[in-house]
Amino acid sequence: MSNHDNTPLSSAHHEEEDTPAVSSSKAGFLPIETNWFDRLFISVVIWVALSLLWFRFIEPMGLSIWISNAIALALAVLIISKG
Amino acid sequence: MKKNNPIIAIVFWSLVSFLTLFPIYWLFVISVKPAVQLFSTPDVILSDPYWGNYAKVWGDRLLRSYMVNSLVISTGNALLCTILGFFACYALSRFKMAGKESLFFWTITNRMAPPAVFLLPLFLLMTQVYAVGDFRLLDTRIGMILVYCTFNLPFAIWTLRPTLDGIPKELDEAAYVDGASSWKVITEIVFPLCRPGLAVTLILTWVFAWNEYLLAATLTNFNARTLTTGLSEYVTTTGTEWGIMATISVFTLIPALIVFGLVQKHIVAGLTFGAVKG
Amino acid sequence: MQSNRLGWILLAPTLAILFFFGVLPFIYVVYVSFHQWNPFAADPHMIFNGADNFRKIVFDAEFLNSVGVTVLFVLFAVISELVVGYILAQAFMKEFPGKAIFRTIHTLPLIMAPIIVGSVWKLMMTPSIGIIPHYLNEWFGITVNIGTSPVAAFTTIIIMDIWHWTPLVTLTLIAALVSLPPDPFEQAQIDGANKRQIFFHITVPMIAPAVVATVFIRLMDALRTVDEVWMLTGGGPGSATRFVGVHIFKEVFPKTNYGYGSTISVIVLYLTIVACWLLYVTMLAPRNKKD
């Protein structure tokens, strides 16, 4: 047990002002400040939405769902690295 | 500010109160009418109440066991959630743990999810996975107590967090310096100071558990059925016995009303779910 | 002595319960949604069928209809509750005798179980015994039948929801209005601003955070409305009031098509999370700017 861990949270009284816990926040091209978890979440949301729309409108035309997955993956990489 | 005529305000609020109270009053009217009178011209004024429905509901052994189930489940759940929520909030407010704010937020999201979504997986898990030998969690009181934690435990954490953050940590530290154990600090110093917050949490979680219907209707079939599910049985299976249905409603309503009277002032802060804070 | 280990020990039971009854069911339902599974069919085993369930759901007219009905309900209910709640909150800002009693009465519906609210309104609205259809017919000659008219059923549910949940909106808005500082209002009056200008340029921006928070709570609750609707209309007539929660309750269990039912659950959860998350972000964005 190092001494460091033993310090109770000093700002316990001000929970409203707490910064996000994952503190690698940075400003990317997204309109809000995000950490990597937020960006992963956004990517998953986009992936699901894209897949559902693809099933409904594009797959009947003969284009495979894998194309949509590839697009979603590319978007995810972009968002997580640059977002 | 300009002076207002109090008469207008009183008339306005009497009207609003009438609209609020009338449905509840009507519930009571139906519950004290014999079945034959139900279909005549609806009378607003109550005359010659008939208590047969109450005698019938009270005398029904099945419904009485539902009442006991409801009481056991909501009391057990409220106690469990308040105590665990208290421990969790103590940990969240006193220790510097990695990612605890994320943990706090994702705990709360448990309450946001629509319960309908969890009906099927909980049903499947409780019939097939959460089992010891022949014992299944489905249709048991302990099972329902645990299931209700999914929405009540996040709520307890949400409401208790400000209470615990509000207790100066210097108190803990002073006690530690005096050589008290952690257990002693938590139970003998922090716990008594939290009592008002704990009481409100206990009562609100109790009301939520008491009022729950959807999960109880799906995850119980006989042994652990609650009063709210008993209510719907009189609608779907027997061609609706209106008087009985109204009477069970009154029976379900009264405990919540009593409890509401006890913490009327604080209930608002809890129900608004911390919305106004900060 | 006061180590992080103790912190985790104190948190452990909470996390364990939430894991077994919240997280695990979620993972499980996602897993099942990729399978074809009907335990009571000739082949009761789970068969992996890729994304076929998801292919099916985007063309499922009943499900899409239930999503549409839910969105319509949420919009109508939440907006009406905000307007009525604001008017009532403003009315509470004045002093008058008996204010405390009126406020207590106004709070009453909040603690009623949704299923009781449903049965109360059923008792009032059912054509044969209800008082409202009776007098509407006798005094105005209007026939209301929630059993046959989709519009009547839908409207009744919205009115019921307003009756049940407006008090919550009123209370949060009162709390917001009480905490407003008086200076900007006095200054505006000195500057000769009219009521409308004061409302739009001072009141609205200042209570906006509370309003967003209230909408957030109401949106979550409205999306999960099942009990009272189930009691009042059972999702009918037809599918006029079959909200997504009712749809799951009514379709999945009787049909025992667990694979497809899981898919419905996953999509509903997805839509709810996205809706709430978007609102949460808009709620937090202005706060973050302040830092």
Side-chain angles (χ1 to χ4, degrees):
Chain A
M1 270 180 281
S2 74
N3 213 20
H4 226 62
D5 295 337
N6 295 351
T7 335
L9 184 69
S10 53
S11 62
H13 307 284
H14 307 289
E15 60 140 325
E16 294 91 345
E17 277 94 30
D18 270 359
T19 47
V22 187
S23 52
S24 59
S25 302
K26 58 172 184 180
F29 65 83
L30 291 174
I32 51 163
E33 215 171 276
T34 52
N35 59 42
W36 67 266
F37 188 83
D38 294 335
R39 291 196 290 274
L40 179 67
F41 174 76
I42 294 169
S43 308
V44 172
V45 165
I46 291 175
W47 172 58
V48 175
L50 191 64
S51 305
L52 289 176
L53 289 173
W54 196 278
F55 279 141
R56 173 84 205 221
F57 297 109
I58 301 183
E59 206 184 42
M61 287 158 48
L63 287 168
S64 162
I65 185 68
W66 294 107
I67 300 173
S68 119
N69 285 349
I71 298 172
L73 189 67
L75 264 177
V77 170
L78 187 71
I79 288 172
I80 292 175
S81 61
K82 296 264 176 66
Chain B
M1 286 287 163
K2 58 178 189 267
K3 204 95 172 118
N4 280 287
N5 190 350
I7 306 288
I8 297 171
I10 291 177
V11 169
F12 174 74
W13 280 105
S14 304
L15 197 70
V16 174
S17 300
F18 171 76
L19 290 177
T20 311
L21 287 177
F22 184 77
I24 304 172
Y25 171 73
W26 184 247
L27 178 72
F28 180 68
V29 168
I30 294 280
S31 76
V32 292
K33 267 189 189 175
V36 282
Q37 278 183 24
L38 282 179
F39 301 95
S40 55
T41 313
D43 279 326
V44 183
I45 312 296
L46 194 62
S47 58
D48 189 23
Y50 157 85
W51 300 101
N53 289 326
Y54 284 83
K56 211 166 158 189
V57 169
W58 190 246
D60 189 329
R61 266 192 57 220
L62 200 60
L63 282 172
R64 268 222 304 273
S65 79
Y66 289 177
M67 265 178 239
V68 174
N69 283 338
S70 270
L71 268 177
V72 171
I73 291 172
S74 35
T75 310
N77 176 259
L79 282 172
L80 186 68
C81 287
T82 310
I83 292 168
L84 290 186
F86 170 73
F87 285 151
C89 284
Y90 183 79
L92 287 173
S93 96
R94 298 301 145 108
F95 297 100
K96 204 170 198 163
M97 294 182 295
K100 66 171 192 162
E101 288 311 319
S102 297
L103 206 61
F104 181 65
F105 176 74
W106 288 105
T107 309
I108 305 302
T109 50
N110 265 289
R111 193 191 164 81
M112 298 177 183
V117 170
F118 288 99
L119 288 178
L120 187 59
L122 277 176
F123 177 77
L124 297 172
L125 284 172
M126 285 172 79
T127 40
Q128 307 186 343
V129 182
Y130 298 162
V132 184
D134 276 344
F135 178 76
R136 300 269 179 285
L137 266 185
L138 193 81
D139 198 19
T140 57
R141 288 172 185 171
I142 184 75
M144 292 318 291
I145 290 175
L146 289 172
V147 165
Y148 284 179
C149 283
T150 52
F151 60 86
N152 264 344
L153 200 47
F155 177 79
I157 291 174
W158 186 297
T159 48
L160 283 174
R161 181 79 193 268
T163 312
L164 272 152
D165 282 347
I167 292 172
K169 66 178 170 41
E170 287 77 15
L171 278 176
D172 303 26
E173 280 162 7
Y176 281 122
V177 171
D178 291 346
S181 69
S182 302
W183 179 250
K184 212 167 174 174
V185 170
I186 295 173
T187 53
E188 287 180 22
I189 296 174
V190 182
F191 188 81
L193 285 172
C194 288
R195 251 185 225 147
L198 289 168
V200 174
T201 310
L202 187 73
I203 280 168
L204 284 173
T205 47
W206 190 88
V207 170
F208 289 139
W210 178 266
N211 285 350
E212 209 283 332
Y213 166 74
L214 193 63
L215 291 165
T218 318
L219 300 175
T220 65
N221 41 46
F222 179 73
N223 291 322
R225 277 195 99 78
T226 58
L227 206 50
T228 46
T229 61
L231 185 66
S232 66
E233 279 170 18
Y234 281 86
V235 182
T236 47
T237 53
T238 56
T240 312
E241 287 187 49
W242 300 104
I244 301 287
M245 179 178 131
T247 312
I248 303 174
S249 300
V250 173
F251 267 110
T252 318
L253 191 55
I254 287 172
L257 277 182
I258 294 171
V259 157
F260 173 72
L262 293 177
V263 285
Q264 204 267 111
K265 278 216 176 96
H266 308 284
I267 211 160
V268 174
L271 280 171
T272 50
F273 213 31
V276 198
K277 193 170 62 90
Chain C
M1 233 187 308
Q2 219 186 11
S3 66
N4 270 347
R5 209 179 49 188
L6 178 64
W8 287 112
I9 291 170
L10 289 173
L11 266 176
T14 300
L15 295 180
I17 290 179
L18 291 179
F19 177 77
F20 281 111
F21 292 91
V23 179
L24 209 57
F26 169 71
I27 296 169
Y28 192 63
V29 78
V30 171
Y31 171 75
V32 176
S33 70
F34 286 97
H35 293 73
Q36 187 197 330
W37 186 26
N38 188 339
F40 302 99
D43 182 5
H45 299 290
M46 259 196 238
I47 304 158
F48 181 75
N49 66 353
D52 281 356
N53 286 329
F54 292 90
R55 283 199 178 90
K56 188 173 154 196
I57 203 168
V58 291
F59 291 104
D60 185 341
E62 275 190 356
F63 174 71
L64 294 177
N65 170 61
S66 79
V67 173
V69 172
T70 310
V71 170
L72 209 60
F73 162 73
V74 170
L75 280 181
F76 271 118
V78 174
I79 290 172
S80 328
E81 281 157 25
L82 266 185
V83 173
V84 179
Y86 181 77
I87 293 169
L88 293 181
Q90 275 294 0
F92 265 132
M93 294 308 287
K94 292 154 190 151
E95 282 306 321
F96 55 90
K99 187 168 149 178
I101 299 168
F102 285 126
R103 196 159 70 185
T104 308
I105 292 174
H106 187 56
T107 325
L108 270 181
L110 279 182
I111 50 133
M112 288 176 72
I115 187 102
I116 306 286
V117 173
S119 77
V120 164
W121 284 81
K122 197 178 172 76
L123 290 168
M124 291 204 304
M125 292 302 297
T126 304
S128 54
I129 63 162
I131 189 162
I132 291 175
H134 180 88
Y135 282 108
L136 276 182
N137 194 9
E138 196 171 298
W139 292 346
F140 306 105
I142 306 166
T143 314
V144 176
N145 188 341
I146 57 163
T148 55
S149 156
V151 178
F154 193 76
T155 315
T156 307
I157 283 179
I158 287 182
I159 293 173
M160 174 175 78
D161 202 72
I162 293 172
W163 180 82
H164 194 181
W165 288 112
T166 299
L168 181 75
V169 180
T170 312
L171 292 171
T172 43
L173 290 183
I174 288 175
L177 287 172
V178 166
S179 63
L180 289 183
D183 315 4
F185 294 91
E186 282 159 13
Q187 187 59 44
Q189 271 175 343
I190 293 166
D191 293 349
N194 63 30
K195 268 191 171 168
R196 208 169 55 100
Q197 283 168 326
I198 291 180
F199 177 75
F200 281 108
H201 293 285
I202 303 177
T203 315
V204 169
M206 285 180 91
I207 63 169
V211 170
V212 177
T214 315
V215 170
F216 187 55
I217 295 170
R218 278 305 304 135
L219 184 74
M220 283 182 336
D221 283 350
L223 283 171
R224 49 197 273 176
T225 307
V226 175
D227 301 7
E228 52 266 65
V229 178
W230 177 249
M231 192 70 182
L232 186 63
T233 64
S239 56
T241 58
R242 187 183 286 182
F243 303 149
V244 280
V246 181
H247 185 72
I248 293 176
F249 195 50
K250 195 166 181 160
E251 286 296 303
V252 175
F253 283 91
K255 289 194 177 167
T256 66
N257 189 347
Y258 290 166
Y260 188 57
S262 299
T263 308
I264 297 179
S265 301
V266 169
I267 297 296
V268 170
L269 192 63
Y270 171 80
L271 294 175
T272 316
I273 289 178
V274 170
C276 291
W277 184 78
L278 283 176
L279 204 67
Y280 183 72
V281 167
T282 46
M283 184 165 92
L284 278 189
R287 274 194 201 177
N288 281 351
K289 265 181 212 152
K290 261 187 274 169
D291 291 345

